[in-house]
Amino acid sequence: MTAHPDNPTPSPKQSRGRWLWLKLYLPVWVFCAAWYWLGMGGGGWIMGYGILAMLILLPLATLAAAVAIGWRKESGPRRWGALILLPALYGLHILVTTSLSTALGITNIAPVGVAVLVYPFAAVLLGLLVGAGARALREKSRAGPTAGK
C-alpha cells in the first residue's frame, strides 16, 4: 500500500523507514550518556569513555543514521535537516555529559571547542553520500542492462 497522489498519507512501511535514522542513533546516544554517568569511578575511565563513545560509537551511529537518511528517495527538510540535527545531538551529548559534570564540580574535564563537531559533520556528509550512492546503484541494477542506453 503506497501513498496515492490525492492522499499524501504515507503507507506504514514508508513511515517506519522515515524514522529509521532516529531509531539507529538515539539508543547509542542514550547508552553513551548512561555509561558516562553510571560508569564514573577509578582512574582512567574517562579516557576509555572518550575513545569508545566519542570517537567510535557516536560517530559510527551518526554514520549509520546518515546512510539511512541518504538511502531514502525523497529529498526534503528531513534529509537536509540531518546535516544540522545529528551533529547537534552529538554536541548535546557533550553538554549533557562532560560539560555538565564539570559545571557541577563532579569532574574537571577541559571544555571542548566547536572543532569537535567536525567529526559528526564529516560522518553525516559521508553517510548521506554512501546512502544515496548505494540507492542509485541498487536502482541501476534493478533497471537492467539496457537502462543506460
Side-chain angles (χ1 to χ4, degrees), residues 83-137:
L83 287 171
I84 304 301
L85 185 61
L86 285 170
L89 285 170
Y90 187 88
L92 180 65
H93 184 346
I94 293 169
L95 290 174
V96 166
T97 55
T98 56
S99 298
L100 182 60
S101 67
T102 300
L104 294 174
I106 299 169
T107 60
N108 187 12
I109 300 170
V112 294
V114 176
V116 76
L117 296 179
V118 170
Y119 291 119
F121 270 118
V124 167
L125 288 175
L126 178 65
L128 287 173
L129 289 174
V130 167
R135 177 72 179 215
L137 285 174

Side-chain angles (χ1 to χ4, degrees), residues 32-42 45-46 49:
C32 289
W35 177 25
Y36 180 85
W37 286 105
L38 300 175
M40 289 186 190
W45 71 272
I46 192 64
Y49 172 81

